Amino acid sequence: MNDCIFCKIINGDIPSIKVYEDEQVYAFMDITPLSKGHTLLIPKQHVQDLLDMPAELASHLYRVAPIVAKAIYNAFTPDGMNTLNNNGAAAGQTVFHYHLHFIPRYGEEGLKWVWETTQPSQEQLQAAAQAITAQLNA
């Protein structure tokens, strides 16, 4: 895709600091990190989001994800790590090429969470589960 910043990185048109690369995926340092070691893992094939990704590519990307995560843990010994993916503008996606963030956590630095949860009834949870299950079985 011509205007995709991540495709330009993969093609070498924009420089990046590579962490990992194979025939299907590329991992590199985020240029606006939330913490030390913040890394992105992307497929080389342009796919907009997780919903657009072929199963075989997703399988490979998520086989590589623990390798990248362990390398970050071994390099920096963070207290924890968020792995984060935003799908769609409403979810905060700003670059429309799938990317998985690895965000090492050191105490309270970096990413801040504000969870506004709901309190659905058991019947509402059951109805939601049935709707999802019906789609999985379709």
Side-chain angles (χ1 to χ4, degrees):
M1 183 162 248
N2 292 340
D3 59 342
C4 173
I5 190 169
F6 289 167
C7 288
K8 289 178 181 179
I9 288 172
I10 292 164
N11 292 333
D13 300 330
I14 296 175
S16 65
I17 300 173
K18 179 172 64 172
V19 171
Y20 176 90
E21 180 177 19
D22 66 25
E23 65 284 344
Q24 296 182 60
V25 298
Y26 186 75
F28 58 101
M29 301 307 298
D30 192 305
I31 62 168
T32 55
L34 294 173
S35 65
K36 180 173 63 176
H38 184 167
T39 303
L40 301 177
L41 177 62
I42 64 174
K44 288 184 173 181
Q45 174 185 339
H46 181 85
V47 293
Q48 179 171 309
D49 55 31
L50 188 59
L51 303 174
D52 191 36
M53 192 180 307
E56 311 79 47
L57 181 55
S59 177
H60 180 76
L61 186 137
Y62 280 95
R63 274 195 308 272
V64 170
I67 295 167
V68 173
K70 287 175 188 172
I72 293 167
Y73 266 100
N74 291 338
F76 302 114
T77 59
D79 299 324
M81 181 184 301
N82 292 101
T83 56
L84 176 67
N85 166 247
N86 302 319
N87 288 278
Q93 186 176 8
T94 58
V95 176
F96 293 92
H97 182 125
Y98 178 88
H99 52 290
L100 180 62
H101 292 263
F102 296 83
I103 307 167
R105 301 303 299 267
Y106 308 94
E108 295 296 318
E109 137 184 80
L111 188 63
K112 305 289 186 224
W113 292 107
V114 178
W115 293 93
E116 295 182 16
T117 61
T118 61
Q119 296 297 315
S121 67
Q122 287 298 310
E123 293 79 19
Q124 290 169 317
L125 290 173
Q126 186 63 38
Q130 288 172 345
I132 295 167
T133 302
Q135 291 301 310
L136 290 169
N137 295 326

